[in-house]
Amino acid sequence: MKHILLIENHSIVRLATLFIIRDVLPEVASWETDNFPDALHIVSTRRLDLIFLDINIPDGEGFQMIAKIRRLQPGVTIMVFSDIDEELYAMHYLKAGANGFLSKSSSTKEIRTAIAAILTNGRYVSEMVQRLLLHGNTPEMRQSNPLAALSQREIEVMDLLLEGKWTKEIATLLNITGSSVSTYKLRIFEKLGVNTVIELYQKVNALRE
């Protein structure tokens, strides 16, 4: 029997995902939570085979969530299952230690395939991620989408800036110095060709359309 944890703050998504999981794995024990602190408690008290992890959850910590889960269960398989931009974020979450990245917009067939693949092989990547792995961070990719030029930390800082966080708040959340935040902010502005957070918001929205 497989033991699975769903970390997702929308109950209807948890219900639908669990339905598909049970279609692939008739015998499965599952736990659910809608926030990250509760998720860590479950991970610390239950042996798990697979974790479905949404990124945009209450008290979520971005890329740091992968590391915190792994400190409690190093060998657990982690599937990021989210509606965040797959082209921008997938590679970064895989580098952070996730075993797979699956978009919520995926078809039921693809979700079934992903579950079977990640439990059998310990890894799943979509066709889009396969293309990213094949072509890497090429000049052509950076030209078509400058967001691809951002590092993992720069993306974390950018997301917090877009949430309206100040330098001191970002430094506390990411456990870095205020001067480091300022440096990352400067790099982000240079790479995206903007001068203010308002321009950054407009540029990112345009690139993600």
Side-chain angles (χ1 to χ4, degrees):
M1 177 180 290
K2 297 296 184 181
H3 299 76
I4 294 177
L5 170 62
L6 303 178
I7 308 173
E8 163 65 54
N9 65 324
H10 294 99
S11 58
I12 188 66
V13 176
R14 291 199 305 271
L15 182 64
T17 305
L18 187 57
F19 179 83
I20 297 173
I21 289 172
R22 286 177 172 163
D23 186 46
V24 177
L25 300 167
E27 293 186 5
V28 63
S30 64
W31 291 266
E32 306 172 23
T33 182
D34 62 0
N35 64 85
F36 192 57
D38 284 353
L40 288 179
H41 175 70
I42 295 171
V43 174
S44 68
T45 57
R46 304 284 183 178
R47 183 189 65 79
L48 300 166
D49 297 295
L50 173 62
I51 295 175
F52 269 76
L53 173 64
D54 188 12
I55 300 307
N56 298 319
I57 56 173
D59 298 311
E61 301 178 29
F63 298 106
Q64 304 305 315
M65 292 191 286
I66 305 292
K68 289 194 172 185
I69 289 172
R70 292 233 175 272
R71 280 198 289 269
L72 295 170
Q73 288 202 44
V76 69
T77 301
I78 302 173
M79 172 79 86
V80 173
F81 185 51
S82 187
D83 56 5
I84 59 176
D85 188 335
E86 183 177 13
E87 185 175 0
L88 174 59
Y89 289 93
M91 290 295 296
H92 290 293
Y93 274 100
L94 292 174
K95 290 178 181 177
N99 300 88
F101 188 104
L102 184 63
S103 171
K104 287 184 182 177
S105 63
S106 301
S107 66
T108 300
K109 180 181 179 181
E110 184 173 357
I111 295 174
R112 287 195 183 100
T113 300
I115 294 169
I118 203 164
L119 286 174
T120 301
N121 305 315
R123 188 170 179 82
Y124 173 78
V125 291
S126 66
E127 291 185 2
M128 176 181 287
V129 175
Q130 289 180 41
R131 290 196 296 272
L132 292 173
L133 288 168
L134 179 63
H135 299 293
N137 191 4
T138 62
E140 293 78 13
M141 183 181 295
R142 292 193 296 272
Q143 184 175 2
S144 64
N145 185 1
L147 292 173
L150 300 181
S151 68
Q152 178 176 311
R153 183 63 87 184
E154 287 166 353
I155 289 175
E156 288 181 309
V157 172
M158 180 188 74
D159 285 343
L160 292 170
L161 287 171
L162 295 176
E163 289 177 13
K165 297 290 193 298
W166 296 94
T167 297
K168 187 175 181 180
E169 292 178 283
I170 296 173
T172 299
L173 289 168
L174 299 181
N175 194 29
I176 57 178
T177 65
S179 61
S180 293
V181 174
S182 298
T183 299
Y184 286 121
K185 181 179 176 180
L186 179 62
R187 291 177 185 171
I188 293 165
F189 282 12
E190 288 178 346
K191 289 181 179 180
L192 298 185
V194 299
N195 297 299
T196 67
V197 173
I198 292 176
E199 289 181 9
L200 176 66
Y201 181 84
Q202 294 171 335
K203 182 66 171 285
V204 171
N205 279 347
L207 289 170
R208 288 177 173 174
E209 287 179 352

